[in-house]
């Protein structure tokens, strides 16, 4: 909840939220492990694992790190970071169309 | 000389300097781990064969560690909430639990590492183990860093509560931001390295 909240009542409400988020994180962790035992095709497994991890990460950031009610300047800093992060994640994938001698790119999935 | 904006917010950012500073630090940390995740993708896409994490590593141990780290995030935020509710005793309890859980995480990691090293599966074994040890090793160093800071704030650093309550509460919030980030990184590491 709001990091800027000061009243004891506000904090008590926040504590209830923290417990609900804790429960949600535990359930999502069990789902992540459960899905891995199904042995989905790699593309589906990667998609499901990353979606669940993103939901869990968002819960931690929004509630435990109080990002839900944060100042604009932090949102700007994080947006810039996300842009660079996505860029870095996609750059290596370009190599998939760039044949490496002795390997068969694109077949690992 | 008094350090400015430790409690009061700066008019231009709307934040205390410490909080803004730690968010900038975390942004740089995101890029540090992004470089390693990017390397992982590059190595995996470029390889002929890549083992399934669940066939190489212990999923139950990593699952247990995930539960431990998520629980430590809850105890960390509860330590901050306790100070906000003026309950120093509970703060000590929750931060103490956070430190204890951090050690549990490292002990489990020690058993994982030693099992692989005894089996000859060190970072030199193959590319998969090289990136596994590099990323989890860096994450482990972050856990150790968090323990050092949290132990200081639990012990000698807690004296500040007697003289500057709000400033100390801000310190715990900032330490918490770092700790939640370490948890957040593990939330992505767990499926990427162990389950896929």
């Amino acid at each position: 909840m709001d990091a800027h909240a000061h009243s004891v009542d506000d904090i008590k409400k926040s504590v209830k939220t923290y417990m609900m988020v804790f429960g949600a994180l535990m359930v999502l962790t069990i789902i992540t492990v459960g899905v891995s035992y199904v042995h989905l095709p790699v593309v589906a497994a990667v998609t499901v694992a990353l979606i669940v991890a993103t939901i869990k990460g968002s819960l931690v950031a929004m509630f435990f790190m109080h990002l839900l009610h944060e100042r604009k300047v932090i949102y700007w800093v994080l947006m810039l970071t996300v842009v660079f992060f996505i860029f870095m994640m996609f750059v290596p994938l370009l190599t998939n169309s760039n044949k490496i001698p002795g390997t068969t790119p694109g077949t690992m999935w | 000389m008094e350090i400015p904006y430790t409690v009061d917010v700066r008019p231009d950012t709307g934040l205390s300097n410490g909080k803004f500073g730690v968010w900038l630090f975390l942004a740089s940390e995101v890029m540090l781990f992004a470089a390693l995740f990017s390397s992982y993708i590059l190595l995996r896409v470029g390889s002929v064969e890549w083992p399934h994490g669940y066939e190489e590593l212990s999923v139950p141990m990593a699952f247990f560690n995930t539960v431990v780290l998520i629980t430590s995030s809850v105890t960390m935020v509860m330590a901050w909430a306790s100070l906000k509710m003026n309950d120093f005793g509970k703060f000590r309890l929750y931060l103490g639990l956070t430190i204890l859980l951090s050690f549990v995480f490292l002990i489990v990691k020690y058993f994982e590492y030693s099992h692989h090293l005894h089996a000859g599966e060190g970072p030199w074994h193959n590319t998969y183990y090289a990136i596994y040890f590099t990323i989890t090793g860096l994450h482990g160093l972050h856990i150790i860093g968090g323990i050092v800071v949290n132990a200081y704030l639990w012990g000698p650093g807690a004296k500040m509560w007697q003289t500057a309550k709000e400033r100390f509460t801000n310190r715990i919030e900032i330490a918490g931001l770092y700790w939640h980030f370490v948890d957040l990184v593990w939330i992505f590491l767990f499926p990427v390295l162990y389950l896929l």
Side-chain angles (χ1 to χ4, degrees):
Chain A
M1 292 288 283
D2 191 354
H4 310 287
H6 290 294
S7 81
V8 172
D9 282 343
D10 283 341
I11 298 297
K12 281 182 179 168
K13 278 182 196 168
S14 299
V15 168
K16 281 184 185 168
T17 311
Y18 297 148
M19 292 305 138
M20 285 163 68
V21 171
F22 179 45
L25 289 170
M26 287 298 150
V27 170
L28 288 167
T29 302
I30 291 166
I31 289 172
T32 310
V33 177
V35 168
S36 77
Y37 282 103
V38 179
H39 298 319
L40 293 169
V42 177
V43 175
V46 169
T47 307
V48 172
L50 289 185
I51 287 173
V52 176
T54 304
I55 295 170
K56 285 168 72 182
S58 302
L59 285 172
V60 170
M62 283 193 298
F63 295 100
F64 294 167
M65 298 172 91
H66 309 127
L67 264 186
L68 210 55
H69 301 95
E70 205 39 273
R71 303 288 182 206
K72 271 186 185 169
V73 66
I74 289 179
Y75 293 145
W76 283 112
V77 168
L78 291 180
M79 273 164 59
L80 190 66
T81 310
V82 167
V83 169
F84 281 116
F85 181 86
I86 291 171
F87 178 74
M88 281 194 79
M89 290 303 112
F90 279 92
V91 162
L93 292 176
L94 297 173
T95 59
N96 210 20
S97 59
N98 184 15
K99 283 189 185 292
I100 300 167
T103 68
T104 46
T107 57
M108 50 99 33
W109 299 115
Chain B
M1 193 185 98
E2 197 180 322
I3 302 169
Y5 305 116
T6 53
V7 174
D8 299 326
V9 296
R10 274 180 70 107
D12 49 0
T13 61
L15 296 159
S16 65
N17 276 355
K19 192 170 175 181
F20 188 47
V22 88
W23 271 111
L24 289 175
F25 170 66
L26 292 182
S28 74
E29 288 277 274
V30 168
M31 295 317 295
L32 173 66
F33 280 98
L36 288 170
F37 273 112
S38 185
S39 305
Y40 167 86
I41 294 169
L42 180 68
L43 293 169
R44 185 165 179 167
V45 168
S47 66
V48 181
E49 284 179 34
W50 194 267
H52 289 293
Y54 51 78
E55 287 167 353
E56 299 290 326
L57 307 170
S58 169
V59 174
M61 279 176 124
F63 171 71
F64 177 76
N65 255 356
T66 306
V67 172
V68 165
L69 219 50
I70 290 171
T71 309
S72 79
S73 246
V74 177
T75 55
M76 188 77 215
V77 80
M78 287 301 296
W80 170 80
S82 301
L83 289 182
K84 281 285 192 184
M85 291 188 281
N86 216 19
D87 191 338
F88 186 75
K90 274 195 175 169
F91 154 75
R92 266 262 165 88
L93 172 71
Y94 283 122
L95 192 62
L97 281 172
T98 307
I99 297 165
L100 188 70
L101 289 165
S102 317
F103 277 112
V104 170
F105 181 91
L106 285 181
I107 290 166
V108 172
K109 209 77 210 133
Y110 165 78
F111 282 114
E112 271 193 271
Y113 274 11
S114 54
H115 166 77
H116 290 297
L117 292 172
H118 281 116
E121 297 165 342
W124 55 85
H125 185 58
N126 60 23
T127 313
Y128 173 78
Y129 278 102
I131 196 75
Y132 162 76
F133 274 100
T134 304
I135 300 184
T136 56
L138 183 70
H139 181 263
L141 287 176
H142 279 75
I143 296 275
I144 292 168
I147 289 173
V148 170
V149 172
N150 287 340
Y152 170 76
L153 292 169
W154 186 86
K159 283 178 192 163
M160 184 183 271
W161 177 252
Q162 309 300 330
T163 53
K165 284 186 165 56
E166 210 172 336
R167 190 176 172 193
F168 183 66
T169 308
N170 282 354
R171 282 192 170 187
I172 296 302
E173 186 186 9
I174 288 166
L177 286 173
Y178 171 81
W179 191 251
H180 301 313
F181 172 78
V182 173
D183 178 28
L184 211 154
V185 170
W186 181 259
I187 282 172
F188 282 92
L189 281 186
F190 174 47
V192 167
L193 292 175
Y194 288 81
L195 303 179
L196 295 177

